Amino acid sequence: MTSTLADVPPLADDEIHVWQTAWSADRGELPFTSLLAAYAGPGAPAVVRGEHGKPHFPGAFGSLGFNWSHSGERALFAVGRGREGFEIGVDVERVRPRPRALELATRFFAPDETAMLASLPEALRLRAFLRLWTAKEAVLKANGGGLSYGLHRVAFRLDDASVVPVAFEGEIGPASAWGIDALDMGDDCLAAVAWRGSERRIRVFTYAL
């Protein structure tokens, strides 16, 4: 569904809205902040940044959680409602050759994840690596700790069509407290949205600039 800001639909409490749009350095974060303003409405405070750069609203407006990501010419904006400080994160990664994918997994992923990747045919390994990477990034961005928290501390299992949380260490845990949804972005990108809380309906829109 292609929409403009005038078409932003109501956001139900059991929904997460994900907007895909084009990314350019010239526009920067303007598409994200424009969408955010449409959801927040009048009177919203300025966006503030956490210690590791996570954007959020302070105070009562913190019940509106949001996050954004871009890779290449693709960008995503995710938004949902929950308790004050609602945690939501999104990540998108362009599919491009990554000859060091298994080496990176060995250094930064959980051992079981690395073993699973190593067992795959090389033709399937890149997309599996990116499915894990986007899920991890989405959770870490939602929590606000960023990559410094440790990719190995949020471990997943890959099913045919889903990424399943298995073991989350530290303040992010437990894994059962999180919802993860792998987003269908076509052949050229992989993406995931993550949130802390109960199951949500994911609605995907296209923002026409």
Side-chain angles (χ1 to χ4, degrees), residues 6-88:
D7 303 320
V8 168
L11 176 63
D13 290 345
D14 64 348
E15 292 181 339
I16 287 175
H17 291 182
V18 178
W19 290 82
Q20 55 180 335
T21 188
W23 166 262
S24 78
D26 291 339
R27 285 190 297 266
E29 294 181 349
L30 179 60
F32 308 140
T33 55
S34 298
L35 284 164
L36 179 59
Y39 280 98
V47 172
V48 296
R49 300 271 182 169
E51 179 182 355
H52 298 282
K54 180 187 176 183
H56 64 278
F57 281 137
F61 272 84
S63 62
L64 185 70
F66 56 92
N67 199 238
W68 52 68
S69 177
H70 66 86
S71 180
E73 297 179 350
R74 302 285 295 277
L76 294 180
F77 170 84
V79 60
R81 296 188 188 278
R83 295 180 180 178
E84 187 174 318
F86 176 61
E87 295 184 346
I88 182 172

Side-chain angles (χ1 to χ4, degrees), residues 13 19 28 32 40 42 93 107 113-114 136-137 150 157 172-173 175-176 184:
D13 290 345
W19 290 82
F32 308 140
E93 298 292 338
R107 290 180 60 191
E113 294 171 327
T114 302
K136 290 170 178 286
E137 276 258 44
R157 182 184 76 252
I172 285 182
S176 59
D184 182 5

